[in-house]
Amino acid sequence: NAGVTQTPKFRVLKTGQSMTLLCAQDMNHEYMYWYRQDPGMGLRLIHYSVGEGTTAKGEVPDGYNVSRLKKQNFLLGLESAAPSQTSVYFCASSSPGGQTQYFGPGTRLLVL
Amino acid sequence: DQQVKQNSPSLSVQEGRISILNCDYTNSMFDYFLWYKKYPAEGPTFLISISSIKDKNEDGRFTVFLNKSAKHLSLHIVPSQPGDSAVYFCAASALPGSARQLTFGSGTQLTVLP
């Protein structure tokens, strides 16, 4: 039982490049979330999903897209990376009745 | 506009003493509050939570207090241990629809000195 896993752990991109971050959970959770964390700030919600095939915008969605084709996976895409997207990205999952979100280990992204 | 604020970026405490971490919120719709603990290069891990219908919740060495009138909550750790050294995030949620979105504070770095 791995919980929430994220790949890759670290990535360097050049401005304008694209990439996809993968989140997987084996807890059969309906809800999944993507956050970013910047220095001196708390985690901010980018997008979330309440079930397979559904997605919704969070607090800071601009420049990101997401997909939830399978219940256990939640993908975060950057179509054209910008230096402002340098951050640590965390994925989380929870059950509909549960109040607690469980987080992955994070992906550190550097955009040059 | 920060809806959840942790005004102390850092806190140092001697081992065995009490650690008190504070959190203030502005949104009166928040009805559930959580504390997460984060070690470097790891994801946040859930520590303890409290519903707005309670004013105290205890779990071992950890106690969370909620003062709704003051829109303030605090996390008490007694006794503090060196392994408690980490960043602590306060988070809050309301239930506007089908998903509980968490709003996080900026975190407090706790250092427990041996």
Side-chain angles (χ1 to χ4, degrees), chain B residues 4-65:
Chain B
V4 177
K5 297 180 183 179
Q6 294 178 257
N7 292 318
S8 297
S10 63
L11 174 69
S12 291
V13 171
Q14 210 68 35
E15 180 179 5
R17 306 293 288 268
I18 184 172
S19 296
I20 300 176
L21 295 91
N22 294 304
C23 179
D24 297 295
Y25 62 97
T26 58
N27 188 342
S28 58
M29 297 299 292
F30 288 146
D31 64 352
Y32 198 77
F33 305 88
L34 308 90
W35 285 94
Y36 281 83
K37 177 179 179 180
K38 185 182 179 307
Y39 292 116
E42 294 184 11
T45 55
F46 171 72
L47 191 58
I48 192 170
S49 62
I50 187 167
S51 165
S52 61
I53 62 173
K54 294 185 175 181
D55 54 18
K56 177 182 174 181
N57 189 26
E58 195 170 352
D59 184 2
R61 296 186 297 114
F62 303 92
T63 303
V64 56
F65 296 92

Short mmCIF file of all heavy atoms in Angstrom, two decimals, chain B residues 4-65:
data_model
loop_
_atom_site.label_atom_id
_atom_site.label_comp_id
_atom_site.label_asym_id
_atom_site.label_seq_id
_atom_site.Cartn_x
_atom_site.Cartn_y
_atom_site.Cartn_z
N VAL B 4 -6.34 32.27 5.94
CA VAL B 4 -5.76 31.52 7.05
C VAL B 4 -4.35 32.06 7.27
O VAL B 4 -3.54 32.06 6.34
CB VAL B 4 -5.71 30.01 6.76
CG1 VAL B 4 -5.04 29.26 7.90
CG2 VAL B 4 -7.12 29.47 6.52
N LYS B 5 -4.08 32.52 8.49
CA LYS B 5 -2.80 33.16 8.75
C LYS B 5 -2.06 32.49 9.89
O LYS B 5 -2.65 32.23 10.95
CB LYS B 5 -3.01 34.64 9.10
CG LYS B 5 -3.60 35.47 7.99
CD LYS B 5 -3.77 36.92 8.42
CE LYS B 5 -4.44 37.74 7.33
NZ LYS B 5 -4.63 39.15 7.74
N GLN B 6 -0.79 32.24 9.66
CA GLN B 6 0.10 31.80 10.72
C GLN B 6 1.16 32.88 10.83
O GLN B 6 2.04 32.99 9.98
CB GLN B 6 0.72 30.44 10.38
CG GLN B 6 -0.31 29.32 10.36
CD GLN B 6 0.28 27.99 9.97
OE1 GLN B 6 0.11 27.54 8.83
NE2 GLN B 6 0.97 27.36 10.92
N ASN B 7 1.06 33.71 11.85
CA ASN B 7 1.87 34.93 11.91
C ASN B 7 3.28 34.69 12.41
O ASN B 7 4.13 35.60 12.29
CB ASN B 7 1.17 35.96 12.79
CG ASN B 7 -0.10 36.47 12.13
OD1 ASN B 7 -0.12 36.72 10.94
ND2 ASN B 7 -1.16 36.60 12.91
N SER B 8 3.56 33.50 12.94
CA SER B 8 4.91 33.21 13.41
C SER B 8 5.58 32.27 12.43
O SER B 8 5.24 31.08 12.37
CB SER B 8 4.87 32.56 14.79
OG SER B 8 4.31 33.44 15.73
N PRO B 9 6.56 32.78 11.67
CA PRO B 9 7.25 31.89 10.71
C PRO B 9 8.08 30.82 11.39
O PRO B 9 8.31 29.76 10.81
CB PRO B 9 8.17 32.83 9.93
CG PRO B 9 7.66 34.20 10.21
CD PRO B 9 7.01 34.16 11.55
N SER B 10 8.52 31.10 12.63
CA SER B 10 9.36 30.12 13.30
C SER B 10 9.15 30.16 14.81
O SER B 10 8.70 31.18 15.37
CB SER B 10 10.84 30.36 12.96
OG SER B 10 11.23 31.62 13.44
N LEU B 11 9.49 29.03 15.43
CA LEU B 11 9.35 28.89 16.88
C LEU B 11 10.40 27.90 17.35
O LEU B 11 10.55 26.83 16.78
CB LEU B 11 7.95 28.36 17.22
CG LEU B 11 7.66 28.02 18.68
CD1 LEU B 11 7.63 29.29 19.52
CD2 LEU B 11 6.33 27.28 18.81
N SER B 12 11.13 28.27 18.41
CA SER B 12 12.11 27.37 19.02
C SER B 12 11.69 27.07 20.44
O SER B 12 11.32 27.97 21.19
CB SER B 12 13.50 28.01 19.01
OG SER B 12 14.01 28.11 17.71
N VAL B 13 11.77 25.79 20.79
CA VAL B 13 11.33 25.34 22.12
C VAL B 13 12.34 24.33 22.64
O VAL B 13 12.92 23.55 21.87
CB VAL B 13 9.93 24.70 22.01
CG1 VAL B 13 9.53 24.02 23.30
CG2 VAL B 13 8.90 25.73 21.63
N GLN B 14 12.52 24.31 23.94
CA GLN B 14 13.41 23.33 24.55
C GLN B 14 12.69 21.98 24.66
O GLN B 14 11.46 21.91 24.91
CB GLN B 14 13.79 23.81 25.95
CG GLN B 14 15.14 23.36 26.44
CD GLN B 14 16.29 23.98 25.68
OE1 GLN B 14 16.23 25.13 25.25
NE2 GLN B 14 17.35 23.21 25.48
N GLU B 15 13.43 20.93 24.45
CA GLU B 15 12.88 19.58 24.58
C GLU B 15 12.20 19.42 25.95
O GLU B 15 12.73 19.86 26.98
CB GLU B 15 13.99 18.54 24.44
CG GLU B 15 13.53 17.10 24.55
CD GLU B 15 14.68 16.11 24.37
OE1 GLU B 15 15.85 16.54 24.25
OE2 GLU B 15 14.42 14.90 24.35
N GLY B 16 11.02 18.79 25.93
CA GLY B 16 10.28 18.57 27.17
C GLY B 16 9.30 19.67 27.52
O GLY B 16 8.39 19.45 28.34
N ARG B 17 9.48 20.85 26.91
CA ARG B 17 8.59 21.96 27.20
C ARG B 17 7.39 21.92 26.25
O ARG B 17 7.31 21.09 25.35
CB ARG B 17 9.33 23.29 27.06
CG ARG B 17 10.60 23.36 27.89
CD ARG B 17 10.32 23.37 29.37
NE ARG B 17 9.75 24.63 29.83
CZ ARG B 17 10.48 25.64 30.30
NH1 ARG B 17 11.79 25.57 30.34
NH2 ARG B 17 9.88 26.74 30.73
N ILE B 18 6.48 22.85 26.43
CA ILE B 18 5.30 22.92 25.59
C ILE B 18 5.57 23.77 24.35
O ILE B 18 6.22 24.82 24.43
CB ILE B 18 4.08 23.49 26.37
CG1 ILE B 18 2.82 23.46 25.50
CG2 ILE B 18 4.37 24.90 26.86
CD1 ILE B 18 1.55 23.82 26.26
N SER B 19 5.10 23.31 23.20
CA SER B 19 5.10 24.11 21.98
C SER B 19 3.68 24.56 21.70
O SER B 19 2.75 23.74 21.75
CB SER B 19 5.60 23.29 20.79
OG SER B 19 6.94 22.89 20.94
N ILE B 20 3.51 25.83 21.41
CA ILE B 20 2.19 26.37 21.07
C ILE B 20 2.27 27.06 19.72
O ILE B 20 3.00 28.04 19.56
CB ILE B 20 1.67 27.35 22.14
CG1 ILE B 20 1.57 26.66 23.49
CG2 ILE B 20 0.30 27.90 21.72
CD1 ILE B 20 1.15 27.57 24.63
N LEU B 21 1.56 26.51 18.76
CA LEU B 21 1.53 27.08 17.42
C LEU B 21 0.14 27.68 17.19
O LEU B 21 -0.86 27.06 17.51
CB LEU B 21 1.82 26.03 16.36
CG LEU B 21 3.23 25.44 16.40
CD1 LEU B 21 3.28 24.21 17.27
CD2 LEU B 21 3.73 25.11 15.00
N ASN B 22 0.12 28.88 16.64
CA ASN B 22 -1.12 29.62 16.50
C ASN B 22 -1.55 29.81 15.05
O ASN B 22 -0.70 29.83 14.14
CB ASN B 22 -0.99 30.99 17.15
CG ASN B 22 -0.82 30.89 18.65
OD1 ASN B 22 -1.65 30.30 19.33
ND2 ASN B 22 0.26 31.46 19.17
N CYS B 23 -2.86 29.98 14.87
CA CYS B 23 -3.43 30.13 13.54
C CYS B 23 -4.69 30.99 13.66
O CYS B 23 -5.50 30.78 14.58
CB CYS B 23 -3.76 28.75 12.98
SG CYS B 23 -4.51 28.73 11.35
N ASP B 24 -4.85 31.95 12.78
CA ASP B 24 -6.05 32.79 12.74
C ASP B 24 -6.71 32.66 11.38
O ASP B 24 -6.03 32.46 10.37
CB ASP B 24 -5.67 34.26 12.98
CG ASP B 24 -5.09 34.48 14.34
OD1 ASP B 24 -5.81 34.30 15.32
OD2 ASP B 24 -3.88 34.82 14.42
N TYR B 25 -8.03 32.79 11.36
CA TYR B 25 -8.75 32.71 10.08
C TYR B 25 -9.77 33.83 10.00
O TYR B 25 -10.18 34.41 11.02
CB TYR B 25 -9.40 31.34 9.90
CG TYR B 25 -10.44 30.97 10.92
CD1 TYR B 25 -11.79 31.17 10.66
CD2 TYR B 25 -10.07 30.39 12.14
CE1 TYR B 25 -12.76 30.83 11.59
CE2 TYR B 25 -11.03 30.04 13.07
CZ TYR B 25 -12.37 30.26 12.79
OH TYR B 25 -13.32 29.91 13.72
N THR B 26 -10.16 34.16 8.79
CA THR B 26 -11.09 35.26 8.60
C THR B 26 -12.44 34.81 8.05
O THR B 26 -13.44 35.51 8.20
CB THR B 26 -10.49 36.31 7.64
OG1 THR B 26 -10.18 35.67 6.39
CG2 THR B 26 -9.23 36.91 8.22
N ASN B 27 -12.48 33.67 7.40
CA ASN B 27 -13.71 33.21 6.75
C ASN B 27 -14.61 32.49 7.75
O ASN B 27 -14.29 31.40 8.22
CB ASN B 27 -13.35 32.26 5.59
CG ASN B 27 -14.55 31.90 4.73
OD1 ASN B 27 -15.69 32.04 5.14
ND2 ASN B 27 -14.29 31.40 3.54
N SER B 28 -15.76 33.06 8.07
CA SER B 28 -16.66 32.47 9.05
C SER B 28 -17.37 31.21 8.53
O SER B 28 -18.04 30.51 9.28
CB SER B 28 -17.71 33.50 9.49
OG SER B 28 -18.42 33.97 8.38
N MET B 29 -17.19 30.91 7.23
CA MET B 29 -17.79 29.70 6.67
C MET B 29 -16.95 28.46 6.96
O MET B 29 -17.42 27.33 6.79
CB MET B 29 -17.97 29.84 5.15
CG MET B 29 -18.92 30.94 4.75
SD MET B 29 -20.59 30.65 5.39
CE MET B 29 -21.06 29.22 4.44
N PHE B 30 -15.71 28.65 7.37
CA PHE B 30 -14.87 27.48 7.70
C PHE B 30 -15.50 26.70 8.86
O PHE B 30 -15.87 27.29 9.88
CB PHE B 30 -13.46 27.91 8.08
CG PHE B 30 -12.63 28.41 6.93
CD1 PHE B 30 -11.72 29.43 7.12
CD2 PHE B 30 -12.75 27.87 5.66
CE1 PHE B 30 -10.93 29.90 6.07
CE2 PHE B 30 -11.98 28.32 4.61
CZ PHE B 30 -11.08 29.34 4.81
N ASP B 31 -15.62 25.40 8.68
CA ASP B 31 -16.21 24.59 9.75
C ASP B 31 -15.37 23.39 10.13
O ASP B 31 -15.77 22.57 10.96
CB ASP B 31 -17.62 24.12 9.35
CG ASP B 31 -17.60 23.20 8.14
OD1 ASP B 31 -16.53 23.04 7.51
OD2 ASP B 31 -18.66 22.62 7.84
N TYR B 32 -14.21 23.28 9.52
CA TYR B 32 -13.33 22.15 9.86
C TYR B 32 -11.90 22.61 9.72
O TYR B 32 -11.55 23.28 8.74
CB TYR B 32 -13.62 20.97 8.93
CG TYR B 32 -13.10 19.66 9.46
CD1 TYR B 32 -13.78 18.98 10.46
CD2 TYR B 32 -11.94 19.10 8.97
CE1 TYR B 32 -13.31 17.79 10.96
CE2 TYR B 32 -11.46 17.90 9.46
CZ TYR B 32 -12.15 17.25 10.46
OH TYR B 32 -11.69 16.06 10.96
N PHE B 33 -11.07 22.25 10.72
CA PHE B 33 -9.71 22.74 10.77
C PHE B 33 -8.75 21.57 10.99
O PHE B 33 -9.06 20.65 11.74
CB PHE B 33 -9.56 23.77 11.90
CG PHE B 33 -10.55 24.90 11.79
CD1 PHE B 33 -11.80 24.80 12.36
CD2 PHE B 33 -10.22 26.05 11.08
CE1 PHE B 33 -12.73 25.83 12.23
CE2 PHE B 33 -11.12 27.08 10.95
CZ PHE B 33 -12.38 26.98 11.52
N LEU B 34 -7.61 21.66 10.32
CA LEU B 34 -6.64 20.58 10.39
C LEU B 34 -5.25 21.15 10.61
O LEU B 34 -4.95 22.28 10.22
CB LEU B 34 -6.63 19.78 9.08
CG LEU B 34 -7.96 19.23 8.54
CD1 LEU B 34 -8.62 20.24 7.61
CD2 LEU B 34 -7.73 17.94 7.79
N TRP B 35 -4.39 20.34 11.21
CA TRP B 35 -2.98 20.64 11.29
C TRP B 35 -2.22 19.54 10.55
O TRP B 35 -2.48 18.35 10.73
CB TRP B 35 -2.50 20.70 12.74
CG TRP B 35 -2.91 21.94 13.45
CD1 TRP B 35 -4.01 22.12 14.23
CD2 TRP B 35 -2.20 23.19 13.47
NE1 TRP B 35 -4.06 23.40 14.73
CE2 TRP B 35 -2.95 24.07 14.28
CE3 TRP B 35 -1.02 23.65 12.90
CZ2 TRP B 35 -2.55 25.39 14.52
CZ3 TRP B 35 -0.62 24.95 13.15
CH2 TRP B 35 -1.39 25.81 13.95
N TYR B 36 -1.29 19.99 9.70
CA TYR B 36 -0.41 19.08 9.00
C TYR B 36 1.02 19.38 9.42
O TYR B 36 1.39 20.51 9.70
CB TYR B 36 -0.53 19.28 7.48
CG TYR B 36 -1.75 18.62 6.86
CD1 TYR B 36 -2.99 19.24 6.87
CD2 TYR B 36 -1.65 17.37 6.26
CE1 TYR B 36 -4.10 18.63 6.29
CE2 TYR B 36 -2.75 16.76 5.68
CZ TYR B 36 -3.97 17.40 5.71
OH TYR B 36 -5.06 16.79 5.13
N LYS B 37 1.82 18.32 9.36
CA LYS B 37 3.23 18.42 9.70
C LYS B 37 4.02 18.08 8.45
O LYS B 37 3.67 17.15 7.71
CB LYS B 37 3.52 17.40 10.81
CG LYS B 37 4.92 17.25 11.28
CD LYS B 37 4.92 16.20 12.39
CE LYS B 37 6.29 15.93 12.92
NZ LYS B 37 6.27 14.91 14.00
N LYS B 38 5.09 18.82 8.21
CA LYS B 38 5.87 18.56 6.99
C LYS B 38 7.36 18.56 7.29
O LYS B 38 7.91 19.56 7.79
CB LYS B 38 5.55 19.61 5.92
CG LYS B 38 6.22 19.33 4.60
CD LYS B 38 5.94 20.39 3.59
CE LYS B 38 6.65 20.11 2.27
NZ LYS B 38 8.10 19.89 2.41
N TYR B 39 8.00 17.45 6.93
CA TYR B 39 9.45 17.36 6.98
C TYR B 39 10.02 17.76 5.62
O TYR B 39 9.33 17.66 4.60
CB TYR B 39 9.89 15.95 7.32
CG TYR B 39 9.56 15.50 8.72
CD1 TYR B 39 8.68 14.44 8.93
CD2 TYR B 39 10.11 16.12 9.83
CE1 TYR B 39 8.38 14.00 10.21
CE2 TYR B 39 9.80 15.71 11.11
CZ TYR B 39 8.94 14.65 11.30
OH TYR B 39 8.62 14.23 12.56
N PRO B 40 11.28 18.21 5.58
CA PRO B 40 11.89 18.59 4.29
C PRO B 40 11.84 17.45 3.29
O PRO B 40 12.03 16.29 3.64
CB PRO B 40 13.34 18.92 4.69
CG PRO B 40 13.26 19.30 6.13
CD PRO B 40 12.19 18.45 6.72
N ALA B 41 11.56 17.79 2.05
CA ALA B 41 11.53 16.85 0.93
C ALA B 41 10.46 15.77 1.08
O ALA B 41 10.55 14.71 0.43
CB ALA B 41 12.90 16.19 0.72
N GLU B 42 9.47 16.01 1.92
CA GLU B 42 8.35 15.08 2.04
C GLU B 42 7.03 15.84 1.89
O GLU B 42 7.00 17.07 1.99
CB GLU B 42 8.36 14.38 3.41
CG GLU B 42 9.54 13.46 3.62
CD GLU B 42 9.45 12.73 4.95
OE1 GLU B 42 8.38 12.77 5.59
OE2 GLU B 42 10.44 12.09 5.32
N GLY B 43 5.95 15.10 1.66
CA GLY B 43 4.65 15.73 1.61
C GLY B 43 4.11 15.98 3.01
O GLY B 43 4.56 15.37 3.98
N PRO B 44 3.13 16.88 3.13
CA PRO B 44 2.51 17.11 4.45
C PRO B 44 1.82 15.84 4.93
O PRO B 44 1.23 15.10 4.13
CB PRO B 44 1.49 18.21 4.16
CG PRO B 44 1.94 18.86 2.90
CD PRO B 44 2.59 17.78 2.10
N THR B 45 1.88 15.60 6.23
CA THR B 45 1.17 14.48 6.81
C THR B 45 0.17 14.99 7.83
O THR B 45 0.48 15.91 8.61
CB THR B 45 2.11 13.46 7.47
OG1 THR B 45 2.92 14.16 8.44
CG2 THR B 45 3.02 12.81 6.47
N PHE B 46 -1.00 14.42 7.83
CA PHE B 46 -2.07 14.82 8.73
C PHE B 46 -1.69 14.57 10.18
O PHE B 46 -1.14 13.52 10.52
CB PHE B 46 -3.36 14.07 8.39
CG PHE B 46 -4.45 14.25 9.39
CD1 PHE B 46 -5.12 15.46 9.48
CD2 PHE B 46 -4.79 13.24 10.25
CE1 PHE B 46 -6.13 15.63 10.40
CE2 PHE B 46 -5.79 13.40 11.19
CZ PHE B 46 -6.46 14.59 11.26
N LEU B 47 -1.98 15.54 11.03
CA LEU B 47 -1.63 15.43 12.44
C LEU B 47 -2.88 15.32 13.32
O LEU B 47 -3.06 14.36 14.04
CB LEU B 47 -0.80 16.64 12.84
CG LEU B 47 -0.09 16.63 14.18
CD1 LEU B 47 0.86 15.45 14.28
CD2 LEU B 47 0.68 17.95 14.36
N ILE B 48 -3.73 16.32 13.24
CA ILE B 48 -4.91 16.36 14.10
C ILE B 48 -5.90 17.34 13.50
O ILE B 48 -5.51 18.24 12.74
CB ILE B 48 -4.52 16.77 15.54
CG1 ILE B 48 -5.67 16.54 16.53
CG2 ILE B 48 -4.03 18.21 15.59
CD1 ILE B 48 -5.25 16.69 17.99
N SER B 49 -7.17 17.16 13.82
CA SER B 49 -8.20 18.04 13.27
C SER B 49 -9.24 18.36 14.33
O SER B 49 -9.28 17.75 15.40
CB SER B 49 -8.87 17.38 12.06
OG SER B 49 -9.52 16.18 12.45
N ILE B 50 -10.10 19.33 14.00
CA ILE B 50 -11.18 19.70 14.90
C ILE B 50 -12.34 20.26 14.10
O ILE B 50 -12.15 21.02 13.15
CB ILE B 50 -10.70 20.70 15.98
CG1 ILE B 50 -11.79 20.93 17.03
CG2 ILE B 50 -10.27 22.03 15.34
CD1 ILE B 50 -11.29 21.66 18.27
N SER B 51 -13.53 19.85 14.49
CA SER B 51 -14.74 20.37 13.88
C SER B 51 -15.17 21.63 14.62
O SER B 51 -14.87 21.79 15.80
CB SER B 51 -15.85 19.31 13.96
OG SER B 51 -17.10 19.87 13.70
N SER B 52 -15.91 22.49 13.92
CA SER B 52 -16.32 23.75 14.56
C SER B 52 -17.34 23.56 15.68
O SER B 52 -17.63 24.49 16.41
CB SER B 52 -16.89 24.69 13.50
OG SER B 52 -18.03 24.11 12.89
N ILE B 53 -17.86 22.34 15.81
CA ILE B 53 -18.83 22.11 16.90
C ILE B 53 -18.10 21.79 18.22
O ILE B 53 -18.74 21.66 19.26
CB ILE B 53 -19.81 20.98 16.57
CG1 ILE B 53 -19.09 19.65 16.37
CG2 ILE B 53 -20.64 21.35 15.34
CD1 ILE B 53 -20.03 18.47 16.20
N LYS B 54 -16.78 21.66 18.14
CA LYS B 54 -15.99 21.37 19.34
C LYS B 54 -15.06 22.54 19.62
O LYS B 54 -14.80 23.38 18.74
CB LYS B 54 -15.16 20.11 19.14
CG LYS B 54 -15.98 18.83 19.00
CD LYS B 54 -15.06 17.63 18.92
CE LYS B 54 -15.85 16.34 18.90
NZ LYS B 54 -14.96 15.16 18.84
N ASP B 55 -14.52 22.60 20.85
CA ASP B 55 -13.52 23.61 21.13
C ASP B 55 -12.17 22.99 21.50
O ASP B 55 -11.20 23.72 21.69
CB ASP B 55 -13.99 24.57 22.24
CG ASP B 55 -14.42 23.84 23.49
OD1 ASP B 55 -14.05 22.66 23.66
OD2 ASP B 55 -15.13 24.46 24.31
N LYS B 56 -12.13 21.67 21.56
CA LYS B 56 -10.88 21.01 21.91
C LYS B 56 -10.88 19.59 21.35
O LYS B 56 -11.90 18.89 21.36
CB LYS B 56 -10.74 20.97 23.44
CG LYS B 56 -9.51 20.25 23.96
CD LYS B 56 -9.52 20.23 25.49
CE LYS B 56 -8.39 19.40 26.04
NZ LYS B 56 -8.41 19.36 27.53
N ASN B 57 -9.70 19.18 20.86
CA ASN B 57 -9.52 17.79 20.44
C ASN B 57 -8.11 17.37 20.81
O ASN B 57 -7.17 18.12 20.58
CB ASN B 57 -9.75 17.63 18.94
CG ASN B 57 -9.79 16.17 18.52
OD1 ASN B 57 -10.12 15.29 19.32
ND2 ASN B 57 -9.44 15.90 17.27
N GLU B 58 -8.01 16.19 21.39
CA GLU B 58 -6.73 15.74 21.93
C GLU B 58 -6.35 14.40 21.32
O GLU B 58 -7.19 13.52 21.14
CB GLU B 58 -6.88 15.60 23.45
CG GLU B 58 -5.61 15.50 24.22
CD GLU B 58 -5.87 15.60 25.73
OE1 GLU B 58 -7.02 15.90 26.12
OE2 GLU B 58 -4.93 15.37 26.49
N ASP B 59 -5.08 14.25 21.02
CA ASP B 59 -4.57 12.98 20.50
C ASP B 59 -3.14 12.81 20.98
O ASP B 59 -2.19 13.34 20.41
CB ASP B 59 -4.62 12.96 18.97
CG ASP B 59 -4.18 11.61 18.39
OD1 ASP B 59 -3.88 10.69 19.17
OD2 ASP B 59 -4.14 11.49 17.15
N GLY B 60 -3.00 12.10 22.08
CA GLY B 60 -1.68 11.88 22.65
C GLY B 60 -1.06 13.17 23.12
O GLY B 60 -1.62 13.91 23.93
N ARG B 61 0.12 13.49 22.58
CA ARG B 61 0.81 14.71 22.98
C ARG B 61 0.27 15.97 22.30
O ARG B 61 0.69 17.07 22.61
CB ARG B 61 2.29 14.58 22.63
CG ARG B 61 3.02 13.47 23.39
CD ARG B 61 4.53 13.48 23.11
NE ARG B 61 4.85 13.23 21.71
CZ ARG B 61 5.39 14.12 20.90
NH1 ARG B 61 5.69 15.33 21.32
NH2 ARG B 61 5.67 13.80 19.65
N PHE B 62 -0.65 15.79 21.37
CA PHE B 62 -1.13 16.89 20.55
C PHE B 62 -2.57 17.26 20.94
O PHE B 62 -3.43 16.39 21.03
CB PHE B 62 -1.08 16.52 19.06
CG PHE B 62 0.29 16.13 18.60
CD1 PHE B 62 0.70 14.80 18.62
CD2 PHE B 62 1.18 17.10 18.15
CE1 PHE B 62 1.97 14.45 18.20
CE2 PHE B 62 2.45 16.75 17.73
CZ PHE B 62 2.85 15.42 17.76
N THR B 63 -2.79 18.56 21.15
CA THR B 63 -4.13 19.07 21.44
C THR B 63 -4.38 20.30 20.58
O THR B 63 -3.51 21.18 20.49
CB THR B 63 -4.27 19.46 22.92
OG1 THR B 63 -3.97 18.32 23.74
CG2 THR B 63 -5.69 19.93 23.23
N VAL B 64 -5.54 20.34 19.96
CA VAL B 64 -5.92 21.52 19.19
C VAL B 64 -7.08 22.19 19.91
O VAL B 64 -8.01 21.53 20.35
CB VAL B 64 -6.26 21.17 17.73
CG1 VAL B 64 -7.36 20.12 17.64
CG2 VAL B 64 -6.64 22.42 16.94
N PHE B 65 -6.97 23.51 20.03
CA PHE B 65 -8.01 24.32 20.65
C PHE B 65 -8.60 25.26 19.59
O PHE B 65 -7.86 25.83 18.79
CB PHE B 65 -7.43 25.16 21.79
CG PHE B 65 -6.91 24.37 22.94
CD1 PHE B 65 -5.58 23.98 22.99
CD2 PHE B 65 -7.75 24.01 23.98
CE1 PHE B 65 -5.08 23.24 24.05
CE2 PHE B 65 -7.27 23.27 25.05
CZ PHE B 65 -5.93 22.88 25.09
#
